[in-house]
Amino acid sequence: MKTKLEMQRQPLNPLTLWYTEPASKGKTILSPGAFNTTEEDNLWQQFTLPIGNSSMGANIYGEISQERLTFNQKTLWNGGPSTRRPNYNGGNKPIAENGLKMSAVYQKVIELYQANQNEQAAELAQQLVGEANGYGAYQSWGNIYVDFLLDESQVENYLRSLDLTKGLATVSFDYQGGTFSREYLASYPDNVIAFQYTAKNGKMNFDIRFPIHNEEKILKKNLGKEVSTSVFGNNITVSGSLQDNQLLLNSQLQIGETDGKVFVKDGETLAVREATFVTIFVTASTDYQNIYPDYRTGETSQQLNERVAKILTAAVKKGYQKIKADHLKDYQQLFERVQLKLGQTTAPLPTDQLLKNYNEGLATDAEARQLEVLLYQYGRYLAIASSRKGDLPANLQGVWQNRVGDAERVPWGADFHMNVNLQMNYWSTYNGNLVETAYPLIDYLNSLVAPGKVSAEIYFGVTSGFTAHTQNTPYGFTAPGWSFDWGWSPAAVPWILQNVWEYYEYTLDDDFLREQIYPLLRESVALYDQLLIKDSKTGRLETAPTFSPEHGPITAGNTYEQSLIWQLYQAIITGAKVLGQDTEKISGWQKTQAQLRPIEIGQDGQIKEWYNETTLGSLGEKNHRHLSHLLGLFPGNLISIETPELLEAAIISLNDRGDESTGWGMGQLINAWARVGDGNRGHQLIQKLFKDGLYPNLWDAHPPFQIDGNFGYTAGVTEMLMQSNLGFIQLLPALPDIWSDGFVKGLLARGNVEICLTWQEKVLIETTVKPNIKQVVKLRYPNLANAKVYDDKNQQLSFQRINQDTISFEGAAEHKYRVVLKQK
Ligand code: FUC
């Protein structure tokens, strides 16, 4: 295959991922990862390009002769209620292995801790587990194959791309004097995946199939699908159910406008002949509904079929061009809010080559910046493509998943992991100015309350409040896993509620707070009001048993839980004051919060992860990937530039953890170092992430592929440029030397304030501030008191000087204020 790309093509938009070979020709880098990752899985995770509208996803291989797309629909999950599991109860196990009621085990553990019998308490705590039966896993739906019988040796100028400015994937090449182009999009407004194929100076002949994914002898385990395919007219319909839980599924593919001949080739295949243009539409759904305890819409297979057919018919009628126009409008109004310029170029290099050059130190500065900006915006693209209103949140792989089977084949079941991963998926949501993509998370959390109350009652013996732990699913699995060592993590709920609370912090939407957020906080606080116990030595409040995610000893109280519980009370106290609700409870909550055991500094000056830790390394593992004791630094605000002693200790702890980690671990480190204010260290970690945690398609590698690191990176870059967690907005708080000149537009700060920054030679020149709501805006930057502030009419505005670095002024809604530090 010859490529004359540089000569023939226009320079591509710098926010495009592009390649000069189909995915199957890619040379894999990094290790494939665990979970029996096959060579095929590895190619998929490293080279295919994802499109998605949140509820559906597809990965495009861009093959010449046999085009292939893997297809997903986010609700296609095994597990949960099933005729095979009439007693499915969210994984909860009312009676422990030792024959005691679970809540009695919990009580006994507390008593043992209070009697200082710590070892016995920790041993007994191991009984606090749930059961795996019914956990399930997210299932790949199937593949779409388009068989063009082409002689690949005659192809020239091959290009495969994903344009982040438009949310469009393309494949194009020249063949025997003609040019063949394929364009793919996933539309949120029309709920379809749409293809447009065109041929110039040539004709297209192909067969198209949509087989469901049922490989790997899954049928024997009853983890497969039972489906039938009907091909009629210009439509392929696959309908049936999952063997494991009888979830109904229905997917339909239809050929729309074309000048070619369309006919049914066989019971699985449609044929298209002699076409110069063809449009194809795909949509799918299941009878899943996120309502406890049945999790089904109640539809019959026929009704589901009608619902899916209706969406498809409307799309075909609307046509590709209108669907594309509406897709662009919908996508771009979100994507275009943020612009980042770090001096990047538009390199004439495919993305895999650019990444290679970056990692080998061969990229020019401008090329390196191009890749950094591309990855930044890719995180925003992936959020829009995997998390829209009306849907489940982005799972461990967003919406993209190519495997079938149980959680031994599907990495971690591609579930909702709440001991860091689901949180990280939403770290870049708000400051990246994509608040709309948070709705699925907030809805999902609300859906965990009903099953989570059952878990709270079974495990803690309480009658109010809800809980959930490390892992959960769309079927209300809220039990603590099936092994304490990774499963137990009740503080996962206060932690994820921090992401939910941030919705309010960033939007200041009181109505939304009242209806969607405050009731959730209340349910969580109701639990902690009952769980907190007094530590006999310090007289402080703590919970037991506690476990720092996947690390170290089981103890009564640890920094992870204490920091998160503190944050939870902080949120409810603020929320109650804003809404004027529960005012009689506020002082009690304040008292509780003040009595929580605080963060402690150890003998080496480190933040202690456990209260019985002495020196660094006296407990736990060296370089453990979880930074659970530093959540007060990021995403919390218990450790900050305003608590210099704790900050110093956090730096010691961060250095002790080191820079080697999994993809998401490096993502978290970037954010943590940004909060420290060390931009150069942040950039060092960015380079590490590019080298050890990124595939050629710029997906994050655990390995295998896990999407959290993508979002973690995007959040981290924003935190380097702007932070707003301390009651004021810090401008360029952690700028690396290498980003000496730049511009960023549209970051969102807490308080619903949009920020635009211009800097040169590492010095802030000008800031534009646009409050979306009237408020006092507080800004911080070295010597900001020397700045001049101008309003919309270019009139100089007087401001309050809080100190030499901090100023504030009254901002009117939707007005723009320019803060000028230095003349350009
Ligand atoms: C957490 C991490 C693992 C992995 C899994 C999905 O449990 O400790 O590294 O990312 O989530």
Side-chain angles (χ1 to χ4, degrees):
M1 195 168 71
K2 287 177 260 164
T3 295
K4 297 180 289 189
L5 207 82
E6 289 79 358
M7 278 136 56
Q8 303 256 327
R9 308 262 171 212
Q10 297 293 320
L12 292 155
N13 165 348
L15 291 181
T16 306
L17 284 77
W18 61 277
Y19 306 83
T20 54
E21 287 173 329
S24 65
K25 298 277 190 312
K27 282 162 211 67
T28 52
I29 59 172
L30 305 176
S31 91
F35 297 94
N36 303 311
T37 304
T38 62
E39 202 35 51
E40 187 186 322
D41 298 329
N42 205 16
L43 273 179
W44 176 84
Q45 70 187 359
Q46 300 211 13
F47 288 101
T48 62
L49 292 175
I51 56 170
N53 71 348
S54 177
S55 97
M56 291 181 292
N59 282 70
I60 295 139
Y61 280 74
E63 300 302 318
I64 293 164
S65 201
Q66 185 180 70
E67 174 63 303
R68 177 179 178 192
L69 283 82
T70 51
F71 180 81
N72 291 104
Q73 207 281 347
K74 215 198 252 150
T75 63
L76 195 72
W77 262 81
N78 279 337
S82 162
T83 53
R84 290 172 201 283
R85 288 180 293 274
N87 300 325
Y88 173 76
N89 185 22
N92 296 308
K93 210 166 141 183
I95 307 293
E97 235 7 59
N98 63 9
L100 285 179
K101 256 178 91 174
M102 241 353 140
S103 55
V105 172
Y106 168 71
Q107 271 314 322
K108 186 91 191 121
V109 170
I110 302 259
E111 282 160 27
L112 286 168
Y113 274 121
Q114 290 190 319
N116 251 325
Q117 293 181 285
N118 298 343
E119 268 172 39
Q120 291 90 326
E123 203 190 313
L124 185 62
Q126 301 269 4
Q127 299 273 325
L128 294 169
V129 292
E131 52 182 285
N133 191 18
Y135 191 74
Y138 179 44
Q139 302 296 302
S140 157
W141 191 289
N143 287 278
I144 298 168
Y145 290 106
V146 195
D147 299 315
F148 295 89
L149 293 172
L150 301 181
D151 172 3
E152 299 207 3
S153 68
Q154 296 193 41
V155 166
E156 291 187 322
N157 301 319
Y158 176 92
L159 178 69
R160 181 165 68 94
S161 75
L162 176 63
D163 182 346
L164 306 185
T165 67
K166 299 194 172 80
L168 291 178
T170 65
V171 179
S172 63
F173 51 84
D174 297 336
Y175 184 74
Q176 295 182 342
T179 300
F180 292 81
S181 307
R182 307 173 194 157
E183 186 174 87
Y184 300 97
L185 63 88
S187 155
Y188 176 68
D190 288 299
N191 198 13
V192 284
I193 289 188
F195 311 16
Q196 177 179 257
Y197 288 2
T198 50
K200 228 201 261 158
N201 300 330
K203 292 269 165 76
M204 287 178 287
N205 297 300
F206 63 83
D207 295 342
I208 187 163
R209 297 175 290 133
F210 192 1
I212 61 100
H213 208 154
N214 242 342
E215 284 131 48
E216 306 157 54
K217 304 190 188 83
I218 308 282
L219 289 164
K220 280 199 197 131
K221 292 199 208 166
N222 286 317
L223 292 175
K225 307 177 187 98
E226 273 170 19
V227 294
S228 58
T229 306
S230 84
V231 186
F232 185 76
N234 51 6
N235 174 293
I236 303 175
T237 296
V238 184
S239 75
S241 60
L242 294 184
Q243 291 177 326
D244 176 67
N245 60 12
Q246 304 84 44
L247 186 81
L248 298 176
L249 62 100
N250 188 294
S251 53
Q252 304 192 17
L253 178 152
Q254 192 152 316
I255 313 263
E257 274 178 294
T258 175
D259 60 352
K261 277 191 281 263
V262 180
F263 58 92
V264 175
K265 188 168 177 197
D266 57 43
E268 288 208 313
T269 321
L270 280 173
V272 177
R273 297 288 180 269
E274 299 286 310
T276 65
F277 69 89
V278 186
T279 59
I280 300 165
F281 304 92
V282 184
T283 195
S285 194
T286 70
D287 69 337
Y288 172 80
Q289 176 172 245
N290 194 5
I291 295 184
Y292 174 82
D294 299 331
Y295 297 100
R296 297 291 187 280
T297 57
E299 287 163 303
T300 61
S301 181
Q302 182 59 29
Q303 286 166 332
L304 174 63
N305 185 63
E306 279 161 21
R307 174 158 61 86
V308 173
K310 210 169 146 195
I311 296 166
L312 195 68
T313 312
V316 173
K317 197 165 157 223
K318 185 165 171 177
Y320 187 85
Q321 289 315 323
K322 278 200 188 130
I323 287 174
K324 181 176 170 183
D326 285 351
H327 158 71
L328 288 175
K329 211 163 116 200
D330 168 72
Y331 174 78
Q332 289 179 329
Q333 64 98 4
L334 295 169
F335 185 78
E336 284 178 354
R337 288 179 191 161
V338 175
Q339 254 180 47
L340 177 60
K341 293 186 189 161
L342 296 175
Q344 66 267 34
T345 179
T346 309
L349 288 173
T351 307
D352 45 354
Q353 188 62 45
L354 198 56
L355 179 65
K356 192 163 182 277
N357 288 3
Y358 186 101
N359 288 335
E360 290 173 358
L362 300 174
T364 64
D365 278 355
E367 286 169 352
R369 302 296 84 76
Q370 181 184 350
L371 201 61
E372 287 162 3
V373 171
L374 183 63
L375 189 66
Y376 176 76
Q377 294 288 19
Y378 196 37
R380 298 185 65 251
Y381 166 83
L382 292 170
I384 303 170
S386 68
S387 188
R388 301 296 298 272
K389 194 170 173 54
D391 204 10
L392 289 166
N395 62 39
L396 282 172
Q397 297 190 189
V399 54
W400 303 278
Q401 212 284 100
N402 75 325
R403 309 186 197 182
V404 287
D406 54 22
E408 280 165 28
R409 259 297 283 153
V410 178
W412 290 280
D415 64 10
F416 303 117
H417 245 72
M418 300 204 307
N419 67 1
V420 67
N421 319 89
L422 190 63
Q423 285 85 350
M424 191 174 292
N425 281 4
Y426 289 87
W427 284 349
S428 56
T429 302
Y430 306 106
N431 55 14
N433 213 340
L434 293 173
V435 289
E436 292 87 343
T437 63
Y439 295 124
L441 181 73
I442 300 167
D443 290 345
Y444 180 66
L445 259 293
N446 275 298
S447 81
L448 290 185
V449 173
K453 277 174 179 281
V454 178
S455 295
E457 190 178 343
I458 289 177
Y459 289 86
F460 298 121
V462 295
T463 50
S464 61
F466 85 113
T467 189
H469 294 261
T470 307
Q471 297 194 163
N472 42 76
T473 71
Y475 300 117
F477 187 102
T478 45
W482 41 99
S483 165
F484 188 98
D485 292 343
W486 50 260
W488 183 265
S489 196
V493 170
W495 190 2
I496 196 81
L497 288 182
Q498 204 174 334
N499 296 63
V500 173
W501 171 249
E502 283 181 355
Y503 182 94
Y504 176 71
E505 290 191 308
Y506 280 89
T507 62
L508 298 184
D509 182 340
D510 290 358
D511 292 336
F512 195 84
L513 172 66
R514 185 178 309 107
E515 282 148 32
Q516 301 292 325
I517 300 174
Y518 191 78
L520 264 173
L521 298 176
R522 238 171 156 241
E523 290 289 354
S524 186
V525 169
L527 180 70
Y528 282 96
D529 278 346
Q530 300 168 84
L531 296 191
L532 287 163
I533 51 168
K534 230 181 206 148
D535 171 49
S536 53
K537 280 191 232 130
T538 60
R540 296 288 200 144
L541 294 178
E542 62 190 16
T543 48
T546 56
F547 188 55
S548 206
E550 302 174 55
H551 192 202
I554 303 169
T555 53
N558 63 25
T559 305
Y560 165 71
E561 288 230 2
Q562 297 295 107
S563 307
L564 295 169
I565 298 169
W566 187 92
Q567 207 76 51
L568 173 70
Y569 279 93
Q570 184 71 6
I572 198 146
I573 292 163
T574 314
K577 286 184 188 163
V578 169
L579 298 175
Q581 274 189 40
D582 295 326
T583 42
E584 72 292 350
K585 292 198 180 138
I586 295 177
S587 68
W589 286 333
Q590 282 167 330
K591 234 162 116 192
T592 302
Q593 194 193 25
Q595 284 174 359
L596 288 170
R597 195 161 178 184
I599 295 176
E600 292 177 8
I601 296 179
Q603 285 173 20
D604 285 328
Q606 83 279 21
I607 300 279
K608 292 207 268 181
E609 188 160 355
W610 307 273
Y611 293 112
N612 56 346
E613 173 181 333
T614 52
T615 53
L616 269 175
S618 59
L619 291 173
E621 289 163 38
K622 185 94 188 125
N623 308 122
H624 196 270
R625 64 192 179 288
H626 281 271
L627 289 181
S628 314
H629 53 323
L630 299 178
L631 300 185
L633 173 67
F634 180 86
N637 36 32
L638 271 170
I639 306 173
S640 73
I641 50 170
E642 306 212 305
T643 61
E645 258 180 68
L646 289 178
L647 189 65
E648 206 44 47
I651 293 171
I652 292 172
S653 292
L654 277 171
N655 277 322
D656 179 61
R657 278 299 210 256
D659 293 354
E660 302 285 331
S661 201
T662 56
W664 66 257
M666 292 184 273
Q668 186 168 5
L669 284 165
I670 298 168
N671 286 277
W673 281 105
R675 284 282 170 94
V676 168
D678 191 339
N680 287 335
R681 186 66 173 260
H683 193 263
Q684 213 171 294
L685 277 150
I686 288 176
Q687 288 173 304
K688 200 124 195 57
L689 174 72
F690 276 65
K691 202 167 173 88
D692 299 337
L694 215 58
Y695 295 129
N697 64 358
L698 305 190
W699 257 352
D700 167 69
H702 185 286
F705 161 52
Q706 209 172 281
I707 205 163
D708 40 18
N710 283 99
F711 296 123
Y713 168 81
T714 298
V717 171
T718 306
E719 287 283 321
M720 287 160 89
L721 302 175
M722 192 264 307
Q723 292 172 23
S724 64
N725 60 310
L726 298 174
F728 46 85
I729 303 169
Q730 293 186 72
L731 310 173
L732 304 180
L735 190 68
D737 292 337
I738 198 124
W739 295 350
S740 61
D741 296 79
F743 166 83
V744 65
K745 176 195 133 220
L747 298 180
L748 193 69
R750 286 173 180 79
N752 208 345
V753 181
E754 287 190 38
I755 300 286
C756 168
L757 305 166
T758 308
W759 66 96
Q760 280 169 9
E761 293 168 15
K762 281 210 78 185
V763 178
L764 182 66
I765 303 288
E766 187 173 313
T767 307
T768 308
V769 176
K770 184 167 91 61
N772 291 320
I773 292 177
K774 173 178 180 279
Q775 66 193 276
V776 174
V777 180
K778 226 193 234 187
L779 303 173
R780 179 184 292 203
Y781 183 79
N783 291 316
L784 200 60
N786 297 346
K788 292 194 170 70
V789 181
Y790 301 92
D791 67 12
D792 283 21
K793 296 186 190 91
N794 224 11
Q795 299 290 315
Q796 206 173 326
L797 196 82
S798 60
F799 58 80
Q800 204 196 331
R801 176 189 184 279
I802 296 174
N803 57 43
Q804 182 55 18
D805 299 340
T806 318
I807 65 167
S808 74
F809 56 88
E810 184 83 40
E814 307 285 334
H815 284 246
K816 278 193 184 156
Y817 301 89
R818 272 189 321 124
V819 182
V820 183
L821 248 175
K822 219 172 146 181
Q823 292 311 322
K824 268 189 251 186

